[in-house]
Amino acid sequence: MGRGKLRIYLGAAPGVGKTYAMLSEGHRRVERGADCVVGFVEHHGRPRTEVMLHGLEQVERKALTYRGAAFTEMDVDALLARRPAIALVDELAHTNVPGSRNAKRWQDVEELLRAGIDVVSTVNIQHLESLGDVVESITGVRQRETVPDEVVRRADQVELVDMSPQALRRRMAHGNIYKPEKVDAALSNYFRPGNLTALRELALLWVADRADEYLQQYRGEHDIRTTWQARERIVVGLTGGPEGRTLIRRASRMAAKGSGSEILAVYIARSDGLTAASPKELAVQRTLVEDLGGTFHHVIGDDIPDALLAFARGVNATQIVLGSSRRRSWQYVFGPGVGASVARDSGPDLDVHIVTHEHVAKGRGLPVVRSAARLGRTRIIAGWVVGTILPVLLCLLLTHVDADLGLANDMLLFLSLTVAAALLGGLWPALASAALGSLLLNYFFAPPLHRFTVSDPKNIVAIAVFFGVAVSVASVVDLAARRTHQAARLRAESEILSFLAGSVLRGETTLDALLERVRETFAMESVTLLERAGDVEPWKPAGSVGPSPVTRPEDADVDMPIGDHMALALSGRVLPAEDRRVLGAFAAQAAVVLDRQRLVDEAEEARRMAEGNRIRTALLAAVSHDLRTPLASIKASVSSLRSADVEWSEEDRAELLEGIEDGADRLDHLVGNLLDMSRLQTGTVTPLIREIDLDEVVPMALGGVPEDSVLLDVPETLPMVAVDPGLLERTVANVVENAVKYSPVGEPVLVAASCLGDRVEVRVVDRGRGVPDQAKDRIFAPFQRYGDAPRGAGVGLGLAVARGFAEAMDGTLTAEDTPGGGLTMVLTLRAAVGVRAEDPTGPTEPTEPTEPTEPTEPMEPVEPIELDHDRDRMTRQKAGPQ
C-alpha cells in the first residue's frame, strides 16, 4: 500500500478563503466520482463556508471530556475504518485535546497518509514553526499552535490562497470573517494593513522558495544543465578590487527593473590561497551587497571563468555582471582575460554584462596597506634560500658538468640568482647572494682555481663589476619595495582623510561612531576624548568607546593633544610615529564633531525656547479672549443676582446659579489645561509609574461626560499597565470628552482596551465626521481647533495635553480612521514587566483548546457596559476640542 498524497492550501491570514478553497476541491473530486469525505472542518460561523459543507459526507467527530468540559476532535479511528480515497482535514496546526490519539492534528494527518489516504488540508503562514519569531515581531502575537516546516515542505502540492490586505479588510468589515462586535478590534490589531502586507509577503516568499525547490529537484532528476529563466538571478563576479562596488550597484539597478530578481555576488579564490584581493575591500563589498538585499558567496576554483560559469549555472542564474579588465594592454599576451572567456563560454542561456569603471586598464595594484616589514616572512625566507643555497647548488652543477661556459656566462648565472633574491627578499638576502657569488666565482671559476686569488686583472674587474651590479640591483629593488609601501600607506591615509572630509561636509558622523572608527583603524582597546575647562581643572570624558577608558591623558598608551584643553587618549598599544599624522586628523575631526553636537543641542534648546515663546504668546491671546468668556458669564449672573431692581423667582435664581457653576467649571478646566501645557513645555511633568489595572482607572476618567454617552469595553483579563494613574486618568478624560463633543447625537463613544504583544491599547472610537489624514497630526498641536469649532469651545489644549501625558508615561497617542466613518484615538501603554495577555483580540481563528495543558472554550466578547456616573463625586479637569 502506497503512501497517500498531501495537498495544502496555504494562506497569509485567517479569512483569505483556505477552507472555502479546500471544500471547493472536495466538491470537484466528488463530481469526478472520487470517494471524498470531510474528516474535520471548522467553519467558524461563516455562512458561505458552512454552505459548502452541504453535499459532502462528514465523518462524525469524536467527543472528549477534559476537566469537566466537552470537546469534539477528528475521529482518526473512524476515518481509518471508513478508508476513503480523500479526506478533507482543516487547520493542520491545531492542538488536540489531551486524551486524543495524537497531540497535534498534523500527526493525525500523518497516520492517514501512511494508511494510503490522500489528505487535503489548510494552514496559515504564521503557524509555520520557523516563522514564529518573525510573525511575533510583525504582529506582536506569539502563535502557540505551530506545525514543523518539514511537514508542509513534504506536501505533494502547496497552493497559495492569496488576497490583498485591502480586500481582506473589506471582507472583515462586511462581517464575513468575525462577528460584528469583534470587527473593530480585529481591524485595529491583528488585521492592520501593515501586518497583512508583511504576512502576505512571507507567504509569497515561502511559496516561491518551495517552487524553487521543486524546480531544482526536477532539473536534477532530468539532468538539465541549461538555465531556465524562470526568475532573474544576477551573478556579480568580484575580484576584490575597488570596482566591485560599482558592479554591485549596477546589478542592483538591473534587479530593480524586474520584480523578484535576486543578486548573488561571488568571489572566486584560488585553491593555493594566493590572491591579490583586499580583505578589507571584500568586507565592504559584502556589506554593500547584503544591504541591497543580495547574498555574498566565496568559491574556490583554479580556473576562474569555469568556476564562475559553474556557479552561475548551479544557481540557475540568468545574467552575469563583470567589470572591464584592469589589466594593461601588454598583459593580454598571457590570455584573453576573465570577461572575454566568460562571454565566450556562457552560451545562449546566460547574458554577460561587461561594465566599465574608473579603474579600467590601470593595472591591478595592491590596495592593501602592508605591514611595517613591507615584505612578508615567506618572501624573506625565500629570498635567503635563493640568495644562499641556490648559488651553492649552481656552483656544484657548473663544476660537475663538462661544459666550459666561460667566466662571463658564469657571472651572469650567479647575477640572475642575486636579482631573484633581491626581488623576493629585499636588500639583505641580495647582498649576501652577491658576496657569496663573488667568493664562489673567485674560488671555482677565476684562475688560479681553488684559491682565493685572481691572477688576471680582467677577472678582478669582472668580479668587482659583478658585485657592484648585484648591490645596485638589490638597492633598487629594496627602494622600489619601500616606495610601494609608502604609496600604499599614503593611499590608505588619503582614503581615511577623504572619509573624514566627507563626513564633515555631510555632517553624518556622530562622536561615538568616529571614536569607534579610530579604535578599529588603529586596533586599539579603547578610545576616549578628554576635555577640561582650564589648565588646573580635572579631565572629563566627552565621549569614549571600548572597555576601561582612561581618565587622564598620561594614563593612555597614545596621547594626541587637541588645543590646550582637549586630548584624544588611546589605550591598547603604542603607535609608531608615522601613524600620528592620521591620528591627528582624527583628533581634529573629533573636536569638530563635539562642537557640532553642542551647537545642535544649543540650536534645539533655542528652538524649544522659541516654541515656548510661541506658546506664551498664544497663552496671552487665549487669556485675553477665551478665559474672559466664562468670566463675563459669571460676572453677568452675579450682577443680576445682586441687582435690587429685579425680583427673581426661585427658578430664575437657580438658572443663574447654574450658569455661574458652569462658567466656573469651564474656567477651571481651561486654567487646568493651560497649567498642564505649561508643565509639559517646561519639562516638569514627573510621572510616578506603578502597575495598575486599566479597569481601575478608565471608569474614573469618564465622570465628566454625559450619562449614556460612552460604552466601555475593558476586559478584566488584560495585563496590568505601568503608568501614572493620575496622568492616565487625565489623558483618557481629555480624549473621551473630545470624542463625545464631536460624536453625533445618539451615537455613544466606544472605549475599548486590548493587548498587542507587550503593549496595551485603549481605543476611543467615535462616529463623527472624522479628520483628514493631513490633519491628524495637527490636531495634537497646542491651541488648535479643528474645523469650525467656536471660540468659546476651549483653547484647543485637550489633545495636546493628552499626548504630552501619554509620552511622559512612555506611551503614544495617535489618530486613526474609524471603519465606517469617524475618528479613533489609540492610546498605547506599556504592559507591566513579565505580564502578557493570554489571547489577543481577534488575531486567530477561534479553535478548541490551543494548548494540551488546559483547554478552554473560545471566550465570548465582553458586552459593552453602559455607564451610570455619579458626577458629584468626580473632580477632574476637562478637555479642549480637536
Side-chain angles (χ1 to χ4, degrees):
M1 181 184 300
R3 178 181 172 87
K5 295 184 178 180
L6 175 62
R7 177 171 183 168
I8 293 177
Y9 286 95
L10 177 68
V16 295
K18 305 179 303 301
T19 304
Y20 191 93
M22 179 186 70
L23 294 175
S24 298
E25 178 66 20
H27 281 285
R28 286 193 294 270
R29 300 286 184 96
V30 171
E31 290 172 1
R32 292 197 294 265
D35 183 14
C36 179
V37 302
V38 175
F40 185 95
V41 167
E42 183 61 66
H43 56 74
H44 302 296
R46 298 167 189 168
R48 296 184 181 181
T49 305
E50 188 175 1
V51 169
M52 292 297 294
L53 286 170
H54 299 166
L56 294 176
E57 178 186 349
Q58 301 185 49
V59 176
E60 186 176 355
R61 299 185 186 184
K62 183 177 182 180
L64 296 171
T65 302
Y66 183 73
R67 295 189 178 181
F71 303 95
T72 59
E73 291 288 3
M74 183 173 68
D75 194 337
V76 180
D77 293 323
L79 274 172
L80 293 175
R82 169 68 174 75
R83 297 195 63 80
I86 306 159
L88 307 181
V89 182
D90 203 7
E91 297 180 357
L92 186 63
H94 174 73
T95 301
N96 293 329
V97 175
S100 300
R101 183 185 185 97
N102 296 298
K104 294 284 189 177
R105 184 163 294 161
W106 65 265
Q107 295 171 330
D108 297 337
V109 170
E110 283 294 315
E111 282 201 44
L112 299 179
L113 294 173
R114 286 195 297 269
I117 300 174
D118 294 347
V119 176
V120 182
S121 187
T122 65
V123 71
N124 282 331
I125 191 68
Q126 65 263 30
H127 294 299
L128 294 183
E129 199 167 76
S130 65
L131 299 178
D133 294 337
V134 179
V135 173
E136 183 178 15
S137 66
I138 294 171
T139 65
V141 177
R142 183 68 183 186
Q143 297 295 334
R144 293 178 295 173
E145 291 189 330
T146 60
V147 58
D149 289 47
E150 186 59 28
V151 174
V152 183
R153 289 185 180 276
R154 285 201 307 264
D156 298 275
Q157 296 182 59
V158 177
E159 182 173 337
L160 178 66
V161 182
D162 190 26
M163 180 176 288
S164 69
Q166 294 77 12
L168 182 56
R169 283 173 60 85
R170 281 197 300 271
R171 290 193 63 191
M172 175 74 69
H174 293 160
N176 295 334
I177 300 177
Y178 291 140
K179 295 179 180 179
E181 60 268 20
K182 290 186 176 182
V183 170
D184 283 347
L187 288 174
S188 303
N189 293 326
Y190 193 84
F191 287 84
R192 294 179 177 179
N195 291 358
L196 297 178
T197 302
L199 292 174
R200 187 189 190 199
E201 184 177 12
L202 280 178
L204 290 170
L205 291 175
W206 196 93
V207 173
D209 290 340
R210 182 67 174 131
D212 281 345
E213 292 176 10
Y214 281 131
L215 181 60
Q216 295 298 338
Q217 179 181 354
Y218 181 86
R219 285 164 54 85
E221 291 174 353
H222 293 79
D223 196 28
I224 298 173
R225 302 302 178 192
T226 58
T227 299
W228 285 4
Q229 298 183 0
R231 182 197 294 187
E232 289 292 341
R233 287 188 175 87
I234 304 173
V235 172
V236 184
L238 302 178
T239 65
E243 78 281 359
R245 282 175 269 184
T246 301
L247 303 184
I248 293 170
R249 294 189 181 97
R250 182 70 180 90
S252 176
R253 292 195 298 272
M254 294 168 59
K257 296 179 180 178
S259 178
S261 300
E262 288 185 60
I263 302 175
L264 301 92
V266 57
Y267 170 71
I268 299 176
R270 297 186 183 277
S271 58
D272 56 10
L274 299 178
T275 177
S278 165
K280 176 183 175 181
E281 183 64 30
L282 282 178
V284 172
Q285 294 173 14
R286 179 173 192 151
T287 302
L288 176 60
V289 71
E290 290 174 351
D291 288 343
L292 293 174
T295 56
F296 183 89
H297 304 269
H298 198 122
V299 177
I300 303 297
D302 292 326
D303 192 319
I304 294 179
D306 286 348
L308 182 59
L309 288 171
F311 173 83
R313 293 192 173 103
V315 299
N316 200 28
T318 57
Q319 302 180 59
I320 298 178
V321 176
L322 299 173
S324 298
S325 178
R326 287 182 285 134
R327 297 194 303 173
R328 300 187 185 278
S329 300
W330 60 269
Q331 291 177 303
Y332 283 96
V333 299
F334 300 106
V338 174
S341 300
V342 170
R344 180 192 61 204
D345 300 333
S346 62
D349 54 345
L350 272 173
D351 296 334
V352 179
H353 303 267
I354 305 297
V355 179
T356 59
H357 49 86
E358 60 182 358
H359 303 282
V360 175
K362 292 185 178 180
R364 291 193 171 271
L366 295 175
V368 184
V369 179
R370 295 189 177 276
S371 64
R374 296 192 301 273
L375 299 174
R377 178 177 297 181
T378 302
R379 287 189 57 180
I380 294 176
I381 293 175
W384 282 103
V385 170
V386 172
T388 57
I389 297 177
L390 290 187
V392 175
L393 296 178
L394 178 61
C395 181
L396 292 176
L397 178 64
L398 293 177
T399 53
H400 288 79
V401 174
D402 188 14
D404 187 10
L405 299 178
L407 182 60
N409 290 327
D410 294 336
M411 293 176 65
L412 289 176
L413 291 175
F414 279 97
L415 181 60
S416 65
L417 294 180
T418 301
V419 173
L423 293 173
L424 288 174
L427 179 62
W428 295 108
L431 293 179
S433 177
L436 180 60
S438 300
L439 293 176
L440 293 176
L441 286 171
N442 185 7
Y443 190 81
F444 289 101
F445 301 101
L449 301 178
H450 307 298
R451 295 177 60 184
F452 287 106
T453 58
V454 181
S455 59
D456 189 349
K458 296 180 180 180
N459 293 336
I460 296 176
V461 174
I463 293 176
V465 170
F466 164 78
F467 186 79
V469 170
V471 171
S472 300
V473 170
S475 300
V476 170
V477 171
D478 182 70
L479 179 62
R482 285 190 285 112
R483 292 290 184 264
T484 301
H485 167 70
Q486 292 172 357
R489 180 175 184 82
L490 290 174
R491 178 179 177 181
E493 291 181 2
S494 66
E495 290 178 354
I496 294 173
L497 295 176
S498 175
F499 165 79
L500 290 177
S503 65
V504 172
L505 295 175
R506 293 187 301 269
E508 296 175 348
T509 304
T510 63
L511 181 60
D512 288 343
L514 180 64
L515 296 181
E516 182 64 30
R517 185 171 181 86
V518 174
R519 192 171 73 91
E520 293 178 355
T521 301
F522 298 100
M524 289 294 181
E525 293 181 0
S526 66
V527 179
T528 307
L529 181 63
L530 299 171
E531 63 175 347
R532 60 182 177 180
D535 294 337
V536 296
E537 298 293 330
W539 291 95
K540 295 181 180 180
S544 64
V545 293
S548 303
V550 298
T551 57
R552 298 185 305 169
E554 50 266 28
D555 297 335
D557 294 316
V558 180
D559 170 25
M560 176 59 66
I562 312 172
D564 296 332
H565 303 133
M566 191 175 293
L568 190 65
L570 295 80
S571 61
R573 66 186 181 94
V574 178
L575 288 179
E578 57 188 0
D579 287 340
R580 293 184 67 86
R581 181 173 63 253
V582 178
L583 181 60
F586 272 110
Q589 172 67 357
V592 172
V593 170
L594 181 61
D595 290 341
R596 185 171 64 242
Q597 285 186 355
R598 289 175 175 171
L599 290 174
V600 170
D601 294 340
E602 292 176 1
E604 179 63 21
E605 180 64 25
R607 188 195 65 78
R608 286 197 296 268
M609 293 177 65
E611 180 67 16
N613 290 332
R614 190 185 70 83
I615 294 293
R616 282 188 287 271
T617 302
L619 177 60
L620 291 174
V623 169
S624 65
H625 186 279
D626 294 281
L627 297 184
R628 293 180 62 184
T629 301
L631 282 175
S633 175
I634 294 172
K635 181 174 177 57
S637 297
V638 171
S639 299
S640 298
L641 287 174
R642 295 188 62 187
S643 175
D645 299 334
V646 181
E647 186 69 28
W648 300 104
S649 65
E650 288 298 327
E651 291 80 5
D652 293 336
R653 185 180 299 274
E655 184 177 352
L656 290 173
L657 289 175
E658 184 179 357
I660 294 174
E661 184 180 8
D662 289 342
D665 287 342
R666 187 190 306 174
L667 185 62
D668 182 57
H669 84 252
L670 290 177
V671 173
N673 276 333
L674 289 171
L675 292 176
D676 288 338
M677 181 53 60
S678 176
R679 292 169 58 201
L680 290 171
Q681 292 295 326
T682 56
T684 58
V685 176
T686 304
L688 301 177
I689 303 299
R690 65 184 182 91
E691 297 179 2
I692 193 169
D693 287 317
L694 278 178
D695 55 4
E696 297 181 22
V697 179
V698 174
M700 299 292 293
L702 307 180
V705 296
E707 297 180 7
D708 304 331
S709 63
V710 176
L711 298 178
L712 184 63
D713 182 9
V714 181
E716 296 180 356
T717 56
L718 287 176
M720 302 178 73
V721 291
V723 297
D724 182 313
L727 295 184
L728 176 59
E729 181 180 345
R730 298 283 299 282
T731 301
V732 175
N734 282 359
V735 174
V736 170
E737 288 185 355
N738 191 80
V740 170
K741 186 180 304 180
Y742 286 90
S743 290
V745 177
E747 289 284 350
V749 172
L750 173 64
V751 179
S754 61
C755 181
L756 186 63
D758 60 349
R759 312 290 285 185
V760 174
E761 287 188 349
V762 179
R763 309 182 73 84
V764 180
V765 183
D766 69 57
R767 294 294 179 178
R769 57 181 176 175
V771 176
D773 291 339
Q774 62 270 20
K776 283 188 171 62
D777 283 334
R778 197 164 63 247
I779 63 176
F780 293 101
F783 303 103
Q784 294 293 321
R785 298 180 182 85
Y786 178 65
D788 55 354
R791 292 287 297 176
V795 293
L797 288 177
L799 293 182
V801 170
R803 171 173 277 189
F805 283 169
E807 293 175 350
M809 296 183 292
D810 191 24
T812 60
L813 179 62
T814 57
E816 296 180 356
D817 291 329
T818 301
L823 188 68
T824 298
M825 291 292 179
V826 184
L827 174 62
T828 304
L829 303 170
R830 179 164 47 90
V833 178
V835 181
R836 291 177 64 95
E838 290 298 324
D839 292 303
T841 302
T844 58
E845 297 176 352
T847 63
E848 297 293 346
T850 57
E851 290 292 340
T853 54
E854 185 173 356
T856 59
E857 292 284 0
M859 180 177 294
E860 292 296 329
V862 179
E863 292 294 333
I865 301 173
E866 199 167 311
L867 298 180
D868 184 13
H869 305 292
D870 183 0
R871 287 179 149 195
D872 292 336
R873 76 184 165 80
M874 297 294 180
T875 56
R876 48 170 206 79
Q877 297 174 1
K878 303 179 182 179
Q882 290 174 332

